[in-house]
Short mmCIF file of all heavy atoms in Angstrom, two decimals:
data_model
loop_
_atom_site.label_atom_id
_atom_site.label_comp_id
_atom_site.label_asym_id
_atom_site.label_seq_id
_atom_site.Cartn_x
_atom_site.Cartn_y
_atom_site.Cartn_z
N THR A 696 -15.92 -5.18 8.26
CA THR A 696 -16.81 -4.21 8.89
C THR A 696 -17.77 -3.63 7.85
O THR A 696 -17.45 -3.53 6.67
CB THR A 696 -16.04 -3.06 9.55
OG1 THR A 696 -15.25 -2.38 8.56
CG2 THR A 696 -15.17 -3.56 10.68
N TRP A 697 -18.94 -3.22 8.33
CA TRP A 697 -19.98 -2.58 7.54
C TRP A 697 -20.29 -1.27 8.24
O TRP A 697 -20.54 -1.25 9.44
CB TRP A 697 -21.21 -3.47 7.50
CG TRP A 697 -22.40 -2.93 6.78
CD1 TRP A 697 -23.26 -1.96 7.22
CD2 TRP A 697 -22.89 -3.34 5.50
NE1 TRP A 697 -24.25 -1.75 6.29
CE2 TRP A 697 -24.04 -2.57 5.23
CE3 TRP A 697 -22.45 -4.27 4.57
CZ2 TRP A 697 -24.77 -2.74 4.06
CZ3 TRP A 697 -23.18 -4.42 3.41
CH2 TRP A 697 -24.32 -3.66 3.15
N ARG A 698 -20.29 -0.15 7.50
CA ARG A 698 -20.55 1.16 8.09
C ARG A 698 -21.52 1.92 7.21
O ARG A 698 -21.37 1.97 6.00
CB ARG A 698 -19.24 1.94 8.19
CG ARG A 698 -19.41 3.38 8.63
CD ARG A 698 -18.08 4.14 8.58
NE ARG A 698 -17.27 3.75 9.69
CZ ARG A 698 -16.86 4.59 10.64
NH1 ARG A 698 -17.17 5.86 10.58
NH2 ARG A 698 -16.13 4.15 11.63
N TYR A 699 -22.54 2.53 7.85
CA TYR A 699 -23.44 3.45 7.16
C TYR A 699 -22.97 4.87 7.42
O TYR A 699 -22.67 5.24 8.55
CB TYR A 699 -24.87 3.33 7.70
CG TYR A 699 -25.65 2.14 7.19
CD1 TYR A 699 -26.12 1.18 8.07
CD2 TYR A 699 -25.93 2.00 5.84
CE1 TYR A 699 -26.86 0.10 7.61
CE2 TYR A 699 -26.67 0.92 5.38
CZ TYR A 699 -27.13 -0.02 6.27
OH TYR A 699 -27.86 -1.08 5.81
N VAL A 700 -22.95 5.68 6.36
CA VAL A 700 -22.62 7.10 6.47
C VAL A 700 -23.73 7.86 5.76
O VAL A 700 -24.07 7.55 4.62
CB VAL A 700 -21.26 7.42 5.79
CG1 VAL A 700 -20.93 8.88 5.91
CG2 VAL A 700 -20.15 6.56 6.40
N SER A 701 -24.31 8.86 6.42
CA SER A 701 -25.40 9.62 5.83
C SER A 701 -24.88 10.78 5.00
O SER A 701 -23.95 11.47 5.40
CB SER A 701 -26.32 10.16 6.93
OG SER A 701 -27.31 10.99 6.36
N ALA A 702 -25.50 10.98 3.83
CA ALA A 702 -25.17 12.14 3.00
C ALA A 702 -25.67 13.41 3.68
O ALA A 702 -25.07 14.47 3.57
CB ALA A 702 -25.78 11.99 1.61
N ALA A 703 -26.79 13.32 4.38
CA ALA A 703 -27.32 14.46 5.15
C ALA A 703 -26.52 14.56 6.45
O ALA A 703 -26.06 13.56 6.98
CB ALA A 703 -28.80 14.24 5.45
N GLN A 704 -26.35 15.73 6.95
CA GLN A 704 -25.57 15.93 8.17
C GLN A 704 -26.44 15.81 9.42
O GLN A 704 -26.63 16.76 10.15
CB GLN A 704 -24.86 17.30 8.12
CG GLN A 704 -23.82 17.41 7.04
CD GLN A 704 -22.71 16.38 7.21
OE1 GLN A 704 -22.25 16.11 8.31
NE2 GLN A 704 -22.28 15.80 6.09
N HIS A 705 -27.02 14.65 9.63
CA HIS A 705 -27.77 14.43 10.86
C HIS A 705 -27.09 13.31 11.65
O HIS A 705 -26.39 12.49 11.09
CB HIS A 705 -29.25 14.13 10.60
CG HIS A 705 -29.49 12.86 9.85
ND1 HIS A 705 -29.41 12.76 8.49
CD2 HIS A 705 -29.81 11.63 10.29
CE1 HIS A 705 -29.68 11.54 8.11
NE2 HIS A 705 -29.92 10.83 9.19
N LYS A 706 -27.30 13.35 12.94
CA LYS A 706 -26.64 12.36 13.79
C LYS A 706 -27.64 11.29 14.19
O LYS A 706 -28.66 11.58 14.78
CB LYS A 706 -26.06 13.04 15.02
CG LYS A 706 -24.96 14.00 14.67
CD LYS A 706 -24.32 14.58 15.90
CE LYS A 706 -23.29 15.59 15.44
NZ LYS A 706 -22.25 15.83 16.35
N ALA A 707 -27.34 10.09 13.86
CA ALA A 707 -28.15 8.95 14.27
C ALA A 707 -27.21 7.96 14.95
O ALA A 707 -26.03 7.85 14.58
CB ALA A 707 -28.83 8.32 13.06
N THR A 708 -27.73 7.27 15.90
CA THR A 708 -26.93 6.35 16.71
C THR A 708 -26.20 5.31 15.87
O THR A 708 -25.08 4.94 16.19
CB THR A 708 -27.85 5.64 17.72
OG1 THR A 708 -28.55 6.63 18.45
CG2 THR A 708 -27.07 4.78 18.66
N CYS A 709 -26.80 4.86 14.79
CA CYS A 709 -26.23 3.76 14.01
C CYS A 709 -25.36 4.21 12.84
O CYS A 709 -24.87 3.38 12.08
CB CYS A 709 -27.35 2.85 13.53
SG CYS A 709 -28.32 2.16 14.88
N LEU A 710 -25.16 5.51 12.68
CA LEU A 710 -24.31 6.01 11.60
C LEU A 710 -22.86 6.13 12.08
O LEU A 710 -22.60 6.34 13.26
CB LEU A 710 -24.79 7.38 11.12
CG LEU A 710 -26.15 7.42 10.44
CD1 LEU A 710 -26.53 8.86 10.09
CD2 LEU A 710 -26.18 6.55 9.20
N ASN A 711 -21.95 6.04 11.12
CA ASN A 711 -20.52 6.22 11.37
C ASN A 711 -19.96 5.28 12.43
O ASN A 711 -19.11 5.66 13.22
CB ASN A 711 -20.23 7.68 11.74
CG ASN A 711 -20.61 8.61 10.62
OD1 ASN A 711 -20.24 8.38 9.47
ND2 ASN A 711 -21.37 9.63 10.93
N ARG A 712 -20.45 4.06 12.42
CA ARG A 712 -19.94 3.03 13.33
C ARG A 712 -19.62 1.79 12.51
O ARG A 712 -20.34 1.44 11.58
CB ARG A 712 -20.98 2.68 14.39
CG ARG A 712 -21.30 3.84 15.30
CD ARG A 712 -22.19 3.36 16.43
NE ARG A 712 -22.65 4.47 17.23
CZ ARG A 712 -22.08 4.86 18.36
NH1 ARG A 712 -21.01 4.25 18.81
NH2 ARG A 712 -22.58 5.87 19.03
N ASP A 713 -18.54 1.14 12.89
CA ASP A 713 -18.16 -0.10 12.22
C ASP A 713 -18.85 -1.27 12.88
O ASP A 713 -18.63 -1.55 14.06
CB ASP A 713 -16.64 -0.29 12.28
CG ASP A 713 -15.90 0.70 11.40
OD1 ASP A 713 -16.48 1.15 10.39
OD2 ASP A 713 -14.75 1.03 11.71
N PHE A 714 -19.70 -1.95 12.11
CA PHE A 714 -20.40 -3.13 12.60
C PHE A 714 -19.71 -4.38 12.08
O PHE A 714 -19.28 -4.41 10.91
CB PHE A 714 -21.86 -3.12 12.14
CG PHE A 714 -22.65 -1.96 12.68
CD1 PHE A 714 -23.18 -1.02 11.83
CD2 PHE A 714 -22.83 -1.81 14.05
CE1 PHE A 714 -23.89 0.06 12.33
CE2 PHE A 714 -23.54 -0.73 14.56
CZ PHE A 714 -24.08 0.21 13.69
N PRO A 715 -19.60 -5.42 12.90
CA PRO A 715 -18.96 -6.66 12.45
C PRO A 715 -19.69 -7.28 11.26
O PRO A 715 -20.93 -7.31 11.23
CB PRO A 715 -19.05 -7.57 13.67
CG PRO A 715 -19.35 -6.69 14.83
CD PRO A 715 -20.06 -5.49 14.27
N LEU A 716 -18.91 -7.77 10.33
CA LEU A 716 -19.43 -8.39 9.11
C LEU A 716 -18.79 -9.76 8.97
O LEU A 716 -17.57 -9.90 9.08
CB LEU A 716 -19.06 -7.52 7.90
CG LEU A 716 -19.22 -8.12 6.52
CD1 LEU A 716 -20.69 -8.35 6.21
CD2 LEU A 716 -18.59 -7.22 5.48
N SER A 717 -19.61 -10.78 8.76
CA SER A 717 -19.09 -12.10 8.42
C SER A 717 -19.64 -12.46 7.04
O SER A 717 -20.73 -12.06 6.67
CB SER A 717 -19.47 -13.14 9.46
OG SER A 717 -20.85 -13.27 9.57
N ILE A 718 -18.83 -13.20 6.30
CA ILE A 718 -19.17 -13.51 4.91
C ILE A 718 -19.14 -15.03 4.71
O ILE A 718 -18.19 -15.69 5.13
CB ILE A 718 -18.19 -12.85 3.94
CG1 ILE A 718 -18.22 -11.34 4.15
CG2 ILE A 718 -18.52 -13.21 2.49
CD1 ILE A 718 -17.07 -10.62 3.48
N LYS A 719 -20.17 -15.54 4.08
CA LYS A 719 -20.23 -16.96 3.75
C LYS A 719 -20.30 -17.10 2.24
O LYS A 719 -21.29 -16.69 1.62
CB LYS A 719 -21.46 -17.60 4.39
CG LYS A 719 -21.57 -19.07 4.11
CD LYS A 719 -22.80 -19.66 4.78
CE LYS A 719 -22.91 -21.13 4.44
NZ LYS A 719 -24.16 -21.70 4.91
N PRO A 720 -19.25 -17.64 1.61
CA PRO A 720 -19.28 -17.86 0.16
C PRO A 720 -20.32 -18.91 -0.21
O PRO A 720 -20.53 -19.88 0.53
CB PRO A 720 -17.88 -18.38 -0.16
CG PRO A 720 -17.05 -18.09 1.03
CD PRO A 720 -17.98 -18.04 2.20
N MET A 721 -20.96 -18.69 -1.33
CA MET A 721 -21.96 -19.62 -1.85
C MET A 721 -21.59 -19.95 -3.30
O MET A 721 -20.79 -19.25 -3.90
CB MET A 721 -23.35 -18.97 -1.81
CG MET A 721 -23.79 -18.51 -0.42
SD MET A 721 -23.96 -19.85 0.76
CE MET A 721 -25.46 -20.60 0.19
N PRO A 722 -22.22 -20.96 -3.89
CA PRO A 722 -21.96 -21.28 -5.30
C PRO A 722 -22.40 -20.14 -6.23
O PRO A 722 -23.20 -19.29 -5.84
CB PRO A 722 -22.80 -22.53 -5.55
CG PRO A 722 -23.14 -23.08 -4.21
CD PRO A 722 -23.13 -21.92 -3.26
N ASN A 723 -21.91 -20.18 -7.45
CA ASN A 723 -22.33 -19.27 -8.52
C ASN A 723 -22.07 -17.79 -8.22
O ASN A 723 -22.92 -16.94 -8.48
CB ASN A 723 -23.81 -19.47 -8.88
CG ASN A 723 -24.09 -20.89 -9.33
OD1 ASN A 723 -23.28 -21.49 -10.02
ND2 ASN A 723 -25.20 -21.43 -8.92
N ALA A 724 -20.92 -17.47 -7.64
CA ALA A 724 -20.51 -16.08 -7.37
C ALA A 724 -21.45 -15.37 -6.39
O ALA A 724 -21.55 -14.15 -6.39
CB ALA A 724 -20.38 -15.29 -8.67
N MET A 725 -22.14 -16.13 -5.57
CA MET A 725 -23.03 -15.56 -4.56
C MET A 725 -22.34 -15.61 -3.21
O MET A 725 -21.45 -16.43 -2.99
CB MET A 725 -24.34 -16.35 -4.48
CG MET A 725 -25.11 -16.45 -5.79
SD MET A 725 -25.79 -14.89 -6.33
CE MET A 725 -27.21 -14.76 -5.28
N MET A 726 -22.75 -14.72 -2.30
CA MET A 726 -22.23 -14.73 -0.94
C MET A 726 -23.26 -14.15 -0.01
O MET A 726 -24.12 -13.37 -0.42
CB MET A 726 -20.92 -13.97 -0.85
CG MET A 726 -21.02 -12.51 -1.19
SD MET A 726 -19.51 -11.84 -1.85
CE MET A 726 -19.42 -12.61 -3.43
N ILE A 727 -23.18 -14.55 1.24
CA ILE A 727 -24.10 -14.05 2.25
C ILE A 727 -23.31 -13.17 3.21
O ILE A 727 -22.31 -13.61 3.78
CB ILE A 727 -24.79 -15.20 3.00
CG1 ILE A 727 -25.64 -16.01 2.03
CG2 ILE A 727 -25.62 -14.66 4.16
CD1 ILE A 727 -26.24 -17.26 2.61
N PHE A 728 -23.75 -11.92 3.36
CA PHE A 728 -23.18 -10.99 4.32
C PHE A 728 -24.08 -11.01 5.56
O PHE A 728 -25.29 -10.87 5.44
CB PHE A 728 -23.16 -9.56 3.77
CG PHE A 728 -22.00 -9.24 2.89
CD1 PHE A 728 -21.37 -10.19 2.11
CD2 PHE A 728 -21.54 -7.93 2.81
CE1 PHE A 728 -20.30 -9.87 1.30
CE2 PHE A 728 -20.47 -7.60 1.99
CZ PHE A 728 -19.85 -8.57 1.23
N ASN A 729 -23.48 -11.17 6.72
CA ASN A 729 -24.21 -11.12 7.98
C ASN A 729 -23.65 -9.96 8.78
O ASN A 729 -22.47 -9.98 9.17
CB ASN A 729 -24.05 -12.44 8.73
CG ASN A 729 -24.91 -12.51 9.96
OD1 ASN A 729 -25.49 -11.53 10.39
ND2 ASN A 729 -25.00 -13.70 10.53
N VAL A 730 -24.46 -8.92 9.02
CA VAL A 730 -24.04 -7.71 9.74
C VAL A 730 -24.68 -7.72 11.12
O VAL A 730 -25.89 -7.89 11.24
CB VAL A 730 -24.43 -6.43 8.96
CG1 VAL A 730 -24.04 -5.19 9.73
CG2 VAL A 730 -23.78 -6.44 7.58
N ASP A 731 -23.85 -7.52 12.15
CA ASP A 731 -24.31 -7.60 13.54
C ASP A 731 -24.23 -6.23 14.23
O ASP A 731 -23.29 -5.95 14.97
CB ASP A 731 -23.47 -8.63 14.29
CG ASP A 731 -23.95 -8.88 15.69
OD1 ASP A 731 -25.04 -8.38 16.06
OD2 ASP A 731 -23.24 -9.58 16.44
N GLY A 732 -25.21 -5.38 13.97
CA GLY A 732 -25.26 -4.05 14.57
C GLY A 732 -25.45 -4.04 16.07
O GLY A 732 -24.78 -3.29 16.78
N PRO A 733 -26.35 -4.88 16.62
CA PRO A 733 -26.60 -4.85 18.07
C PRO A 733 -25.38 -5.19 18.92
O PRO A 733 -25.33 -4.83 20.09
CB PRO A 733 -27.70 -5.89 18.26
CG PRO A 733 -28.38 -5.98 16.95
CD PRO A 733 -27.29 -5.74 15.93
N SER A 734 -24.39 -5.87 18.35
CA SER A 734 -23.19 -6.17 19.13
C SER A 734 -22.37 -4.92 19.41
O SER A 734 -21.55 -4.90 20.33
CB SER A 734 -22.31 -7.20 18.41
OG SER A 734 -21.71 -6.64 17.26
N VAL A 735 -22.61 -3.85 18.64
CA VAL A 735 -21.90 -2.58 18.83
C VAL A 735 -22.78 -1.59 19.58
O VAL A 735 -22.35 -0.96 20.55
CB VAL A 735 -21.45 -1.99 17.47
CG1 VAL A 735 -20.78 -0.64 17.65
CG2 VAL A 735 -20.51 -2.96 16.76
N VAL A 736 -24.02 -1.42 19.12
CA VAL A 736 -24.97 -0.49 19.75
C VAL A 736 -26.34 -1.16 19.79
O VAL A 736 -26.88 -1.55 18.75
CB VAL A 736 -25.07 0.84 18.96
CG1 VAL A 736 -26.11 1.75 19.58
CG2 VAL A 736 -23.73 1.53 18.89
N THR A 737 -26.91 -1.27 20.98
CA THR A 737 -28.24 -1.84 21.12
C THR A 737 -29.24 -1.03 20.29
O THR A 737 -29.23 0.19 20.33
CB THR A 737 -28.68 -1.82 22.60
OG1 THR A 737 -27.72 -2.56 23.35
CG2 THR A 737 -30.05 -2.42 22.78
N GLY A 738 -30.03 -1.72 19.50
CA GLY A 738 -31.03 -1.06 18.66
C GLY A 738 -30.59 -0.85 17.22
O GLY A 738 -31.41 -0.54 16.36
N CYS A 739 -29.31 -1.01 16.94
CA CYS A 739 -28.85 -0.90 15.56
C CYS A 739 -29.18 -2.20 14.82
O CYS A 739 -29.32 -3.25 15.44
CB CYS A 739 -27.35 -0.61 15.51
SG CYS A 739 -26.97 1.09 15.99
N PRO A 740 -29.32 -2.12 13.50
CA PRO A 740 -29.81 -3.29 12.76
C PRO A 740 -28.82 -4.45 12.69
O PRO A 740 -27.62 -4.27 12.66
CB PRO A 740 -30.08 -2.74 11.36
CG PRO A 740 -29.18 -1.57 11.23
CD PRO A 740 -29.08 -0.98 12.61
N SER A 741 -29.41 -5.62 12.68
CA SER A 741 -28.70 -6.85 12.38
C SER A 741 -29.41 -7.41 11.16
O SER A 741 -30.64 -7.44 11.13
CB SER A 741 -28.81 -7.80 13.57
OG SER A 741 -28.14 -9.00 13.28
N PHE A 742 -28.67 -7.80 10.14
CA PHE A 742 -29.35 -8.30 8.94
C PHE A 742 -28.46 -9.24 8.17
O PHE A 742 -27.24 -9.29 8.36
CB PHE A 742 -29.80 -7.14 8.04
CG PHE A 742 -28.70 -6.23 7.60
CD1 PHE A 742 -27.99 -6.49 6.44
CD2 PHE A 742 -28.37 -5.12 8.35
CE1 PHE A 742 -26.97 -5.64 6.03
CE2 PHE A 742 -27.35 -4.27 7.94
CZ PHE A 742 -26.65 -4.53 6.79
#
Side-chain angles (χ1 to χ4, degrees):
T696 60
W697 178 285
R698 173 186 284 241
Y699 281 119
V700 180
S701 175
Q704 295 299 320
H705 64 277
K706 295 185 184 204
T708 306
C709 301
L710 294 177
N711 299 311
R712 296 187 187 264
D713 290 332
F714 297 116
L716 167 67
S717 61
I718 301 167
K719 181 180 178 187
M721 302 297 286
N723 301 322
M725 303 292 282
M726 63 208 70
I727 297 174
F728 277 29
N729 187 349
V730 178
D731 186 9
S734 70
V735 176
V736 177
T737 302
C739 287
S741 179
F742 58 89

